[in-house]
Amino acid sequence: MKALRALFDDVLRAFGVLTRLPLPRREAHMAMQPRSVWAYPLVGAVVGALSALIWFAAQFAGLGTPLAAGLAIAAQVLITGALHEDGLADFADGFGGAHDKAATLAIMRDSRIGVYGVIALILILGLRWGGAAGLALDNVLAGLIGAALLGRLAIVALVVFLAPARGDGFGRIIAHPPRHAALAALLLGLALVGAHMPLITTALAFVAAAAAAGYVAMIARRRIGGYTGDVLGAGEQLAETAALLVFVAAA
C-alpha cells in the first residue's frame, strides 16, 4: 500500500510540474522530483488525449478539420501553461543570439522574447497545427497521444544524458533521475504508443523523436555544457513535432 501511495504521489508531482491541471499538489522537494520522471510519458498521454477530445468535439460541432486541429493545439498550450513553448522560445533566442555560455544563459533567463523566439514559435505551432489537421480520422487519438507522450519522454532522455548547466531552475530540480525511473519511462512510452500504432510506425516515431532530442542535446552540450529548463522545453517541442509528422506520414 505504501508503494502504491508513493507511485500515486509521483504521478501527482509529474502533473504538477508539467501541467496546470487542477489536481492535488505534492511537495516539490528536490529529492522527490527526479524519481517522478517515470510518469512524464503518462502526463504526455493525458495531454494528448484531452486535446484529441477537443479535436473530436470541434468536428462534431461542424467546425471542420483546420479549426479542430487549431483548437486541439490551443488546448495543449492551455493545459501546460505554454511551459514547453516558452522554453523553446527562450532556447531559440539564447542559442540564436549569443555565442558563449554566459551570454546564452543570460538571454535564456530574460523574460523578453526576441526575433528567434518568435520565429521558432510560429514554425513549431504551425507544424503542430498542420500535423494535427493531417492525421487520419482513425489516427487522431493515437497520434496526438503518441506525439505528446514522446515529447515528454524526450525530457527524460535529456536529463539522463546531460548534466544541469546551472545550479538552479527547473532543470536542476529533476536532475539525475534514478535509472529505474528512466527505464520505466521508456517502457511505459513503448507500451502506450505500441499498443495503438503499428510496430514500424512506433519505431519510426521513436527514432524521429530521439533524433530531434539528440540534436538539442548536441548543441546544448557544445554551447553551455548541459541542459536548462529551456533546453528541456525545446527538446520536448521538437521531439513531439517530429513524432507527430511521422504519424501523419504513416496514415
Side-chain angles (χ1 to χ4, degrees), residues 146-212:
L149 181 157
L150 289 174
R152 277 65 181 184
L153 187 58
I155 295 176
V156 181
L158 288 170
V159 299
V160 167
F161 291 107
L162 294 177
R166 57 163 60 111
D168 59 356
F170 171 68
R172 181 63 180 171
I173 291 175
I174 61 171
H176 312 301
R179 290 184 179 179
H180 69 270
L183 179 60
L186 175 62
L187 294 177
L188 180 60
L190 281 169
L192 290 175
V193 178
H196 300 93
M197 288 288 183
L199 179 60
I200 184 64
T201 303
T202 299
L204 289 173
F206 267 81
V207 169

Side-chain angles (χ1 to χ4, degrees), residues 53 120 207 223:
L53 288 177
V207 169
R223 180 74 65 82

Side-chain angles (χ1 to χ4, degrees), residues 32-61:
M32 306 298 288
Q33 286 291 357
R35 71 179 225 178
S36 70
V37 301
W38 71 264
Y40 281 19
L42 179 61
V43 174
V46 171
V47 172
L50 291 175
S51 67
L53 288 177
I54 298 298
W55 193 100
F56 285 114
Q59 286 282 24
F60 182 77

Side-chain angles (χ1 to χ4, degrees), residues 20-247:
R20 297 285 183 85
L21 293 174
L23 299 174
R25 299 285 171 168
R26 290 296 184 268
E27 74 278 2
H29 193 277
M30 186 176 293
M32 306 298 288
Q33 286 291 357
R35 71 179 225 178
S36 70
V37 301
W38 71 264
Y40 281 19
L42 179 61
V43 174
V46 171
V47 172
L50 291 175
S51 67
L53 288 177
I54 298 298
W55 193 100
F56 285 114
Q59 286 282 24
F60 182 77
L63 296 181
T65 298
L67 285 177
L71 288 171
I73 300 305
Q76 291 187 4
V77 174
L78 290 174
I79 291 169
T80 63
L83 175 68
H84 310 303
E85 290 81 4
D86 178 67
L88 173 66
D90 288 341
F91 175 88
D93 281 334
F95 282 79
H99 300 286
D100 61 82
K101 178 177 179 177
T104 300
L105 290 174
I107 292 175
M108 285 197 293
R109 178 152 280 180
D110 191 336
S111 61
R112 294 170 296 182
I113 188 170
V115 64
Y116 292 106
V118 170
I119 292 172
L121 286 177
I122 291 173
L123 291 175
I124 208 73
L125 290 173
L127 287 171
R128 286 168 59 196
W129 189 331
L135 288 168
L137 181 61
D138 58 350
N139 260 356
V140 169
L141 180 61
L144 291 177
I145 287 176
L149 181 157
L150 289 174
R152 277 65 181 184
L153 187 58
I155 295 176
V156 181
L158 288 170
V159 299
V160 167
F161 291 107
L162 294 177
R166 57 163 60 111
D168 59 356
F170 171 68
R172 181 63 180 171
I173 291 175
I174 61 171
H176 312 301
R179 290 184 179 179
H180 69 270
L183 179 60
L186 175 62
L187 294 177
L188 180 60
L190 281 169
L192 290 175
V193 178
H196 300 93
M197 288 288 183
L199 179 60
I200 184 64
T201 303
T202 299
L204 289 173
F206 267 81
V207 169
Y215 170 74
V216 171
M218 179 183 67
I219 59 177
R221 179 185 286 117
R222 181 185 305 163
R223 180 74 65 82
I224 61 175
Y227 72 88
T228 66
D230 292 329
V231 171
L232 300 182
E236 191 285 327
Q237 287 287 280
L238 293 182
E240 178 175 353
T241 303
L244 182 59
L245 295 181
V246 169
F247 294 140

